[in-house]
Amino acid sequence: MIPVDLRVHLGETVAAVPPRLFGGFVEHMGRCVYQGIYEPGHPSADAHGFREDVLELVRELGVTVARYPGGNFVSGYRWEDGVGPLAQRPVRLEAAWHSTETNEVGLHEFAGWADRAGVEVMQAVNLGTRGVLEAGDLLEYSNHPSGTALSEQRRTNGADEPFGITLWCLGNEMDGPWQIGHKTADEYGRLAAETARYMRFLDHRVELVVAGSSNMEMPTFGEWERTVLRHTAELADHISVHAYYEESDGDVASFLASGAGLDRYLDTVAGIIDEVLLELGLDKKIGISVDEWNVWYQRDWNENHKDAVLSGDWPQAPRLIEDEYNVTDAVVVGSLLISLLRHSDRVSMANLAQLVNVIAPIRCEPDGSAWRQTTFFPFALTSARGRGRVVRSDLTAPTVGTSQYGDVDMVDAVSVVADDGCVSLFVVNRSTTETVSLTTELTGASLILEDAQVLTVPEGGDRFSTNTQTSQPVAPVALDGVHCSTAGDTTRLSITLPPISWSVLTLRPAAAVKENSLV
C-alpha cells in the first residue's frame, strides 16, 4: 500500500462554505424540463404537471439554487413567451439546441417548482438577441409588488406576490462563437454594465453575475475577464466560470486529475479579479460563480448535434447529451467538489449542469421511473455533510504523472467543520491501481468516528459500471478498515482507500457522544 499523510488543523478556518455552492442548473434543453422535471400525465405528476418522483430526488440531492432557463437557450429566449394563459403561449423554433419550444413551462411554473423544491432561483437574462430594456422588464415583472403595467400583468397571470428573485445572470457564454448574439469582450462588457446599472435602478437588492470565459481553453481567456471586469467591476457581484471535463482517448490519469485542472482555473480567475480591482482602486469582493460544471463527453456530443442540425428536423424535447455516468465519472465529480470546497474563500456559488436527464445526476423515462446516476451520490453526500467551514489541511502524498496537468498528488482531500462540531473529511484516491494507506491527524478536538463511506468499483464490476433504469449497482458502501483513536485534543485516523475511489468520513465530538449517552 502507498502511505499518505494528512494533517487537519480544526482551529484554522479557510472560509465558510457558501450554501450556494450546491446549486444545480435547469435549462430548456433536451429532456431537462419537458419529460424531466415536467411531465403532465405521469403517474407521479402533481397538479401543476411536475413529476413528484423527480422532485423527491432533487430534494435528496440537496440542491440549494437552480440556474434557469439557460444556458445557450437564454440567448434567443423571449421571456414573455412563457407567461400568461397556456393556450395563448407561442410555439417557437429554438435555435440553440435545434428544437421546438412549446413554452408550457415558463417563469411562473419554474418559480413554483423551485419553491416546492426548496431552492433559490438564479435567473438568467438574454443579452444575446436582447438587451437592457428587456432585462429590466423581466426584473420589474418578477419583483415589483404592484401598481405598474408589468407588475399588474404578473398578478393577472396568477402571482399576486412578487417572486423576489435577487440572483441574476447577465447573459451566457458571450465569448463563444456558438452563442446566439456572440460578442467581443468590449461589446459584452459595455452591454452588461448598462444592463446592471438599469437593473440596480429598478431593484437595489439584486446580485449580478457577469459572464466570464466559457472555458479555460478559449483563445480570449484571461483577457476576456480583464476587459469585462474593467467595464463591470463596480456593478458586478460575481463573474462566471464554466468547467467541463471528460476522459479523452483513454487518458484516465488526466481525467482523474480534473480537480487539479479546476484548482488552476479558479486560482487564475481569482488572480485576475484581484488584478483588476487593484487597477481600478476598488475595495470590494467579486465572487467566482462556477455556474456550469460537470463531466461531459463533448466530443461525442459535437458530432451528434452536427448531424441533428443537418437533418432539418425541429423535434420537441429531443434526447440530447444524456450521458450515462460510470464509476470513474462519479469519482471525478467528487474530486471537483473537493476543489470547490477548498476554494470557498473565492467561489461564491456553483451549479452542477444539469439536474435531470441532460448530463445529469438524475435520469428518468416518460411514464417510467426516475433513478440516481453514479454522480448523484458524491454531490448528495457533499451537500449534506459539507456545510460549515473549511479548515486548513496539509497533505504529504506521492504524485502521479498526467499528460494534461503534469504531476499531481495521488490523493486529494478537504475537511469541513459543521456548526455542531462534527467534522467531515472528503478524500479521493486518483490512482487506478494503488491502494492508499492514509494516516490522518486532526488537531483541535477529540472526535469519534460516526460514519465512513466510499464510492468505488462495485463488487463484480469495473470502473465503467453504470446505473440504469433497471439496475443500479453503483452506490456508496461502508468504508472498511478505518481505525480511530484520540489523545487529548488530537484525533488520529488510519484509513485504507481503494484505487479510483471517493470517500467521506464523518466524526462527532466525543463530548457530545458522552452527553447523549447519559440521557
Side-chain angles (χ1 to χ4, degrees), residues 225-496:
E225 279 74 10
R226 291 183 183 90
T227 301
V228 169
L229 285 173
R230 284 170 185 143
H231 283 288
T232 64
E234 290 191 59
L235 298 157
D237 301 289
H238 318 268
I239 186 168
S240 72
V241 159
H242 291 183
Y244 292 104
Y245 300 90
E246 64 181 310
E247 182 177 340
S248 300
D249 302 320
D251 186 4
V252 63
S254 292
F255 184 46
L256 286 167
S258 296
L262 182 57
D263 285 340
R264 296 171 193 181
Y265 194 177
L266 296 173
D267 290 342
T268 302
V269 173
I272 292 170
I273 293 170
D274 293 344
E275 172 191 326
V276 175
L277 290 176
L278 180 62
E279 174 189 320
L280 299 178
L282 294 175
D283 183 17
K284 64 175 295 189
K285 183 174 181 178
I286 293 178
I288 299 174
S289 174
V290 190
D291 52 35
E292 290 186 29
W293 71 271
N294 205 347
V295 171
W296 175 11
Y297 288 89
Q298 295 187 64
R299 292 186 182 186
D300 294 340
W301 151 252
N302 288 336
E303 288 304 313
N304 293 336
H305 187 54
K306 187 187 302 180
D307 292 341
V309 171
L310 292 175
S311 73
D313 295 331
W314 293 87
Q316 291 183 16
R319 291 177 181 266
L320 300 180
I321 57 171
E322 297 190 5
D323 286 3
E324 193 171 271
Y325 290 121
N326 59 41
V327 172
T328 315
D329 300 325
V331 171
V332 169
V333 165
S335 73
L336 294 170
L337 284 159
I338 288 172
S339 177
L340 292 172
L341 284 169
R342 181 166 43 246
H343 287 86
S344 289
D345 58 332
R346 303 307 299 259
V347 172
S348 48
M349 66 190 82
N351 300 318
L352 182 69
Q354 297 181 18
L355 269 183
V356 184
N357 287 330
V358 177
I359 52 171
I362 299 168
R363 285 286 303 278
C364 64
E365 284 297 321
D367 296 319
S369 61
W371 68 95
R372 304 165 188 82
Q373 290 232 71
T374 63
T375 56
F376 181 99
F377 301 105
F379 189 101
L381 283 168
T382 304
S383 178
R385 304 188 187 190
R387 312 294 182 96
R389 57 187 178 89
V390 176
V391 295
R392 184 171 73 86
S393 58
D394 301 314
L395 182 72
T396 304
T399 60
V400 292
T402 73
S403 61
Q404 281 188 263
Y405 308 112
D407 291 339
V408 302
D409 287 334
M410 180 181 293
V411 170
D412 196 15
V414 69
S415 296
V416 176
V417 181
D419 291 342
D420 62 1
C422 286
V423 178
S424 290
L425 171 64
F426 304 91
V427 58
V428 62
N429 179 4
R430 293 167 167 154
S431 173
T432 59
T433 58
E434 299 290 349
T435 299
V436 165
S437 174
L438 176 65
T439 301
T440 303
E441 182 177 276
L442 304 99
T443 58
S446 178
L447 303 165
I448 293 176
L449 182 67
E450 183 175 78
D451 183 60
Q453 297 187 54
V454 60
L455 193 150
T456 189
V457 175
E459 186 175 353
D462 57 31
R463 74 178 187 90
F464 299 106
S465 297
T466 64
N467 290 344
T468 66
Q469 185 178 13
T470 56
S471 175
Q472 292 99 42
V474 182
V477 296
L479 179 61
D480 295 328
V482 181
H483 299 283
C484 179
S485 62
T486 61
D489 66 350
T490 299
T491 302
R492 291 183 176 84
L493 291 171
S494 175
I495 308 165
T496 301

